[in-house]
Every structure is written in C-alpha cells, then in structure tokens.
Amino acid sequence: MPQPSPKPALRPFLAADGPVLAAIFVAAIEELTGDDYGEAQQEAWASAADDEEAFGRRLAGELTLIATLQNSPVGFASLKGKDHIDMLYVHPDAAGQGVASALCEALEKLAGARGATSLTVDASDNAQGFFAKRGYVARQRNSVTVNGEWLANTTMQKNLKDSAAPGVQP
Ligand SMILES: CC(C)(COP(=O)(O)OP(=O)(O)OC[C@H]1O[C@@H](n2cnc3c(N)ncnc32)[C@H](O)[C@@H]1OP(=O)(O)O)[C@@H](O)C(=O)NCCC(=O)NCCS
C-alpha cells in the first residue's frame, strides 16, 4: 500500500539558505513551467537568481519561509509587506505533495497576523490553478518585461476573512 507523503516542516529563512533557494527557484522554473512559457521566457525568469547574493538579499528583506522534508529545503515562499505573496517555488522532485499548500497557508496566517484583510499575488500562468483552488480570484492580467522577455501573469486576490475558521470572529 502506498505510504502518504510526509508533511513538510516550515522554518524561517537564514542567510546561508540563499544558494539552495536559488537552485530550487531555477529548477522549478525549468521543470514546472514549460507548458505555459517558452524557453527564452523561462531563462529570463530564472536569471533573477543568477546573482545568488542579491537573490538572498531579496528574500532576507521579506518574510520568507522554507519548507523542508527530512531537513532538506524543498520549497519556499515570501511575503512582501503585509499583503503580497512575492515568491512561491517548489522543487520539481517535491511537487504535488502539498508543499506549496503548507507554505501558502502559513503566509496567509502571518499576513492576517500583520493586519492584512486580503492577500494578492501576481500568479504565473502555471500557478493560477493552484491559487484558484485556494480561493484566490483573478483581478487583472499583466505583461511584464523580465530581462528583455515579455511574461504574462495574473494578479489574484484572496479575502482573508473568508478563510476564518467557523465560529472565529474576525
Ligand atoms: C505552483 C507550485 C508552487 C505548486 O507547488 P506544489 O507543492 O506542487 O503544490 P501542492 O502540492 O501544494 O498542490 C496543492 C493543490 O493544488 C493543485 N495544484 C498544484 N499545482 C497546480 C496547477 N499548476 N494547476 C492546478 N492545480 C494545481 C494540486 O493538484 C493540489 O490539489 P489537491 O489538494 O486536490 O491534491 C509549483 O508547481 C511551482 O513551483 N511552480 C513553478 C514556479 C511558479 O510558477 N511559482 C508561482 C509564482 S507566483
């Protein structure tokens, strides 16, 4: 009988995590986004991690959580300010095991604790289904230039009060 996947553990970002998170970022883009973006677009997107130090500084400047399986980082997510998900990336080897769900749920709680009443994300085309499943609603279609390439994404929003547990007063 197949064993259920172990639940990921979550911990805060540490300065030494920059390179491993840069590698997860690149692998997730290369292996999980090919149905929606061309090779040149993927390369331009992934180039944000070329400078690992700058990439680490960006994550350190936000509220970044790391998901681990057997103590190894397999995904990460970051909250910019109190109400915007900046990044959410899961290593392809750990995809489909609830890693992004655990990260997103934690960010939603932290955003609520920071006083946010709703949360936004500029969702990539491949992540739109994931966010829709979590109750995010598409608000606006965007085209952004990244390293000379145009990439489409969709601003999505979730009302955090909708996700309060039954009986809990907001
Ligand atoms: C999108 C991404 C973060 C999802 O990570 P994941 O850990 O595989 O997601 P989960 O296992 O937590 O999935 C939770 C649910 O969403 C569904 N889901 C996941 N990806 C989905 C997708 N692309 N479309 C539709 N549903 C999706 C899963 O089937 C699962 O449903 P279930 O609960 O009924 O089984 C991952 O595919 C990724 O890193 N993509 C590339 C980077 C990217 O685009 N990041 C987003 C930037 S905004």
Side-chain angles (χ1 to χ4, degrees), residues 54-127:
F55 189 74
R57 276 197 304 276
R58 174 172 167 188
L59 291 172
E62 301 180 352
L63 197 170
T64 300
L65 291 180
I66 297 176
T68 62
L69 285 172
Q70 286 153 356
N71 290 323
S72 294
V74 291
F76 65 97
S78 69
L79 184 69
K80 190 174 183 182
K82 68 175 164 74
D83 57 8
H84 185 74
I85 296 177
D86 185 26
M87 295 207 236
L88 176 65
Y89 293 84
V90 172
H91 193 282
D93 293 347
Q97 297 179 41
V99 172
S101 301
L103 286 163
C104 210
E105 193 171 324
L107 282 196
E108 287 166 11
K109 285 193 179 133
L110 288 164
R114 286 182 164 193
T117 53
S118 68
L119 201 48
T120 57
V121 62
D122 293 335
S124 64
D125 286 355
N126 68 284

